[in-house]
PDB file of all heavy atoms in Angstrom:
ATOM      1  N   ARG A  35       7.876  41.416 -27.168  1.00 97.00           N
ATOM      2  CA  ARG A  35       8.451  41.476 -28.515  1.00 97.00           C
ATOM      3  C   ARG A  35       7.515  42.216 -29.460  1.00 97.00           C
ATOM      4  O   ARG A  35       7.951  43.096 -30.225  1.00 97.00           O
ATOM      5  CB  ARG A  35       8.733  40.054 -29.036  1.00 97.00           C
ATOM      6  CG  ARG A  35       9.442  40.021 -30.382  1.00 97.00           C
ATOM      7  CD  ARG A  35       9.571  38.604 -30.923  1.00 97.00           C
ATOM      8  NE  ARG A  35       8.302  38.030 -31.295  1.00 97.00           N
ATOM      9  CZ  ARG A  35       7.637  38.301 -32.433  1.00 97.00           C
ATOM     10  NH1 ARG A  35       8.132  39.153 -33.298  1.00 97.00           N
ATOM     11  NH2 ARG A  35       6.481  37.727 -32.687  1.00 97.00           N
ATOM     12  N   ARG A  36       6.226  41.912 -29.414  1.00 97.00           N
ATOM     13  CA  ARG A  36       5.248  42.618 -30.256  1.00 97.00           C
ATOM     14  C   ARG A  36       5.204  44.103 -29.899  1.00 97.00           C
ATOM     15  O   ARG A  36       5.131  44.962 -30.780  1.00 97.00           O
ATOM     16  CB  ARG A  36       3.862  41.992 -30.094  1.00 97.00           C
ATOM     17  CG  ARG A  36       3.698  40.686 -30.815  1.00 97.00           C
ATOM     18  CD  ARG A  36       2.226  40.253 -30.867  1.00 97.00           C
ATOM     19  NE  ARG A  36       1.559  40.307 -29.569  1.00 97.00           N
ATOM     20  CZ  ARG A  36       1.388  39.277 -28.744  1.00 97.00           C
ATOM     21  NH1 ARG A  36       1.841  38.082 -29.078  1.00 97.00           N
ATOM     22  NH2 ARG A  36       0.754  39.426 -27.590  1.00 97.00           N
ATOM     23  N   SER A  37       5.263  44.391 -28.625  1.00 97.00           N
ATOM     24  CA  SER A  37       5.246  45.786 -28.180  1.00 97.00           C
ATOM     25  C   SER A  37       6.474  46.537 -28.695  1.00 97.00           C
ATOM     26  O   SER A  37       6.377  47.685 -29.142  1.00 97.00           O
ATOM     27  CB  SER A  37       5.187  45.823 -26.652  1.00 97.00           C
ATOM     28  OG  SER A  37       5.199  47.154 -26.197  1.00 97.00           O
ATOM     29  N   ARG A  38       7.658  45.891 -28.595  1.00 97.00           N
ATOM     30  CA  ARG A  38       8.876  46.529 -29.114  1.00 97.00           C
ATOM     31  C   ARG A  38       8.791  46.747 -30.623  1.00 97.00           C
ATOM     32  O   ARG A  38       9.199  47.786 -31.139  1.00 97.00           O
ATOM     33  CB  ARG A  38      10.111  45.683 -28.768  1.00 97.00           C
ATOM     34  CG  ARG A  38      10.540  45.781 -27.325  1.00 97.00           C
ATOM     35  CD  ARG A  38      11.891  45.116 -27.104  1.00 97.00           C
ATOM     36  NE  ARG A  38      11.959  43.722 -27.509  1.00 97.00           N
ATOM     37  CZ  ARG A  38      11.632  42.676 -26.754  1.00 97.00           C
ATOM     38  NH1 ARG A  38      11.221  42.870 -25.500  1.00 97.00           N
ATOM     39  NH2 ARG A  38      11.733  41.446 -27.210  1.00 97.00           N
ATOM     40  N   MET A  39       8.247  45.761 -31.343  1.00 98.00           N
ATOM     41  CA  MET A  39       8.100  45.894 -32.802  1.00 98.00           C
ATOM     42  C   MET A  39       7.138  47.035 -33.140  1.00 98.00           C
ATOM     43  O   MET A  39       7.401  47.835 -34.046  1.00 98.00           O
ATOM     44  CB  MET A  39       7.614  44.578 -33.419  1.00 98.00           C
ATOM     45  CG  MET A  39       8.673  43.500 -33.457  1.00 98.00           C
ATOM     46  SD  MET A  39       8.079  41.941 -34.132  1.00 98.00           S
ATOM     47  CE  MET A  39       7.596  42.421 -35.763  1.00 98.00           C
ATOM     48  N   LYS A  40       6.036  47.105 -32.403  1.00 97.00           N
ATOM     49  CA  LYS A  40       5.062  48.167 -32.628  1.00 97.00           C
ATOM     50  C   LYS A  40       5.683  49.530 -32.328  1.00 97.00           C
ATOM     51  O   LYS A  40       5.509  50.500 -33.088  1.00 97.00           O
ATOM     52  CB  LYS A  40       3.837  47.927 -31.744  1.00 97.00           C
ATOM     53  CG  LYS A  40       2.697  48.877 -31.978  1.00 97.00           C
ATOM     54  CD  LYS A  40       1.505  48.505 -31.119  1.00 97.00           C
ATOM     55  CE  LYS A  40       0.368  49.491 -31.293  1.00 97.00           C
ATOM     56  NZ  LYS A  40      -0.769  49.167 -30.424  1.00 97.00           N
ATOM     57  N   LYS A  41       6.442  49.606 -31.237  1.00 98.00           N
ATOM     58  CA  LYS A  41       7.125  50.847 -30.867  1.00 98.00           C
ATOM     59  C   LYS A  41       8.148  51.230 -31.933  1.00 98.00           C
ATOM     60  O   LYS A  41       8.255  52.407 -32.315  1.00 98.00           O
ATOM     61  CB  LYS A  41       7.810  50.661 -29.512  1.00 98.00           C
ATOM     62  CG  LYS A  41       8.458  51.893 -28.968  1.00 98.00           C
ATOM     63  CD  LYS A  41       9.059  51.603 -27.589  1.00 98.00           C
ATOM     64  CE  LYS A  41       9.759  52.799 -27.026  1.00 98.00           C
ATOM     65  NZ  LYS A  41      10.360  52.524 -25.722  1.00 98.00           N
ATOM     66  N   GLN A  42       8.900  50.287 -32.461  1.00 98.00           N
ATOM     67  CA  GLN A  42       9.890  50.558 -33.503  1.00 98.00           C
ATOM     68  C   GLN A  42       9.210  51.018 -34.792  1.00 98.00           C
ATOM     69  O   GLN A  42       9.676  51.952 -35.450  1.00 98.00           O
ATOM     70  CB  GLN A  42      10.735  49.300 -33.768  1.00 98.00           C
ATOM     71  CG  GLN A  42      11.871  49.526 -34.742  1.00 98.00           C
ATOM     72  CD  GLN A  42      12.897  50.515 -34.226  1.00 98.00           C
ATOM     73  OE1 GLN A  42      13.276  50.469 -33.054  1.00 98.00           O
ATOM     74  NE2 GLN A  42      13.331  51.424 -35.076  1.00 98.00           N
ATOM     75  N   THR A  43       8.101  50.392 -35.142  1.00 98.00           N
ATOM     76  CA  THR A  43       7.349  50.793 -36.335  1.00 98.00           C
ATOM     77  C   THR A  43       6.851  52.227 -36.188  1.00 98.00           C
ATOM     78  O   THR A  43       6.971  53.037 -37.110  1.00 98.00           O
ATOM     79  CB  THR A  43       6.151  49.843 -36.568  1.00 98.00           C
ATOM     80  OG1 THR A  43       6.639  48.521 -36.714  1.00 98.00           O
ATOM     81  CG2 THR A  43       5.366  50.236 -37.801  1.00 98.00           C
ATOM     82  N   HIS A  44       6.320  52.542 -35.019  1.00 98.00           N
ATOM     83  CA  HIS A  44       5.836  53.896 -34.754  1.00 98.00           C
ATOM     84  C   HIS A  44       6.988  54.900 -34.827  1.00 98.00           C
ATOM     85  O   HIS A  44       6.850  55.990 -35.408  1.00 98.00           O
ATOM     86  CB  HIS A  44       5.143  53.949 -33.394  1.00 98.00           C
ATOM     87  CG  HIS A  44       4.518  55.261 -33.076  1.00 98.00           C
ATOM     88  ND1 HIS A  44       3.469  55.788 -33.804  1.00 98.00           N
ATOM     89  CD2 HIS A  44       4.803  56.179 -32.105  1.00 98.00           C
ATOM     90  CE1 HIS A  44       3.132  56.970 -33.298  1.00 98.00           C
ATOM     91  NE2 HIS A  44       3.932  57.230 -32.272  1.00 98.00           N
ATOM     92  N   LEU A  45       8.144  54.526 -34.258  1.00 98.00           N
ATOM     93  CA  LEU A  45       9.322  55.390 -34.302  1.00 98.00           C
ATOM     94  C   LEU A  45       9.767  55.622 -35.746  1.00 98.00           C
ATOM     95  O   LEU A  45      10.088  56.754 -36.134  1.00 98.00           O
ATOM     96  CB  LEU A  45      10.454  54.780 -33.475  1.00 98.00           C
ATOM     97  CG  LEU A  45      11.751  55.582 -33.412  1.00 98.00           C
ATOM     98  CD1 LEU A  45      11.516  56.916 -32.711  1.00 98.00           C
ATOM     99  CD2 LEU A  45      12.817  54.784 -32.686  1.00 98.00           C
ATOM    100  N   ASN A  46       9.763  54.573 -36.555  1.00 98.00           N
ATOM    101  CA  ASN A  46      10.138  54.705 -37.975  1.00 98.00           C
ATOM    102  C   ASN A  46       9.171  55.625 -38.718  1.00 98.00           C
ATOM    103  O   ASN A  46       9.595  56.452 -39.542  1.00 98.00           O
ATOM    104  CB  ASN A  46      10.187  53.337 -38.653  1.00 98.00           C
ATOM    105  CG  ASN A  46      11.342  52.481 -38.162  1.00 98.00           C
ATOM    106  OD1 ASN A  46      12.298  52.991 -37.578  1.00 98.00           O
ATOM    107  ND2 ASN A  46      11.247  51.187 -38.379  1.00 98.00           N
ATOM    108  N   GLU A  47       7.880  55.498 -38.445  1.00 98.00           N
ATOM    109  CA  GLU A  47       6.885  56.379 -39.067  1.00 98.00           C
ATOM    110  C   GLU A  47       7.107  57.828 -38.660  1.00 98.00           C
ATOM    111  O   GLU A  47       7.024  58.744 -39.495  1.00 98.00           O
ATOM    112  CB  GLU A  47       5.468  55.934 -38.691  1.00 98.00           C
ATOM    113  CG  GLU A  47       5.040  54.628 -39.328  1.00 98.00           C
ATOM    114  CD  GLU A  47       3.725  54.103 -38.777  1.00 98.00           C
ATOM    115  OE1 GLU A  47       3.169  54.715 -37.836  1.00 98.00           O
ATOM    116  OE2 GLU A  47       3.260  53.059 -39.283  1.00 98.00           O
ATOM    117  N   LEU A  48       7.399  58.051 -37.370  1.00 98.00           N
ATOM    118  CA  LEU A  48       7.658  59.417 -36.902  1.00 98.00           C
ATOM    119  C   LEU A  48       8.915  59.994 -37.542  1.00 98.00           C
ATOM    120  O   LEU A  48       8.947  61.176 -37.914  1.00 98.00           O
ATOM    121  CB  LEU A  48       7.773  59.449 -35.373  1.00 98.00           C
ATOM    122  CG  LEU A  48       6.477  59.243 -34.599  1.00 98.00           C
ATOM    123  CD1 LEU A  48       6.762  59.180 -33.098  1.00 98.00           C
ATOM    124  CD2 LEU A  48       5.477  60.339 -34.900  1.00 98.00           C
ATOM    125  N   MET A  49       9.955  59.190 -37.691  1.00 98.00           N
ATOM    126  CA  MET A  49      11.196  59.663 -38.328  1.00 98.00           C
ATOM    127  C   MET A  49      10.940  60.015 -39.800  1.00 98.00           C
ATOM    128  O   MET A  49      11.453  61.022 -40.299  1.00 98.00           O
ATOM    129  CB  MET A  49      12.296  58.602 -38.218  1.00 98.00           C
ATOM    130  CG  MET A  49      12.796  58.395 -36.797  1.00 98.00           C
ATOM    131  SD  MET A  49      13.461  59.887 -36.050  1.00 98.00           S
ATOM    132  CE  MET A  49      14.940  60.096 -36.994  1.00 98.00           C
ATOM    133  N   ALA A  50      10.138  59.198 -40.477  1.00 98.00           N
ATOM    134  CA  ALA A  50       9.797  59.500 -41.879  1.00 98.00           C
ATOM    135  C   ALA A  50       9.000  60.799 -41.949  1.00 98.00           C
ATOM    136  O   ALA A  50       9.227  61.628 -42.840  1.00 98.00           O
ATOM    137  CB  ALA A  50       8.992  58.342 -42.482  1.00 98.00           C
ATOM    138  N   GLN A  51       8.089  61.000 -41.009  1.00 98.00           N
ATOM    139  CA  GLN A  51       7.300  62.234 -40.975  1.00 98.00           C
ATOM    140  C   GLN A  51       8.199  63.439 -40.689  1.00 98.00           C
ATOM    141  O   GLN A  51       8.026  64.503 -41.292  1.00 98.00           O
ATOM    142  CB  GLN A  51       6.201  62.121 -39.924  1.00 98.00           C
ATOM    143  CG  GLN A  51       5.238  63.283 -39.923  1.00 98.00           C
ATOM    144  CD  GLN A  51       4.125  63.122 -38.898  1.00 98.00           C
ATOM    145  OE1 GLN A  51       4.158  62.224 -38.062  1.00 98.00           O
ATOM    146  NE2 GLN A  51       3.150  64.000 -38.953  1.00 98.00           N
TER     147      GLN A  51
END
Side-chain angles (χ1 to χ4, degrees):
R35 185 186 68 78
R36 284 192 311 263
S37 179
R38 285 190 304 273
M39 287 178 61
K40 186 176 177 182
K41 184 178 178 181
Q42 185 64 43
T43 301
H44 185 64
L45 181 64
N46 291 342
E47 290 171 356
L48 289 175
M49 291 301 290
Q51 187 178 9

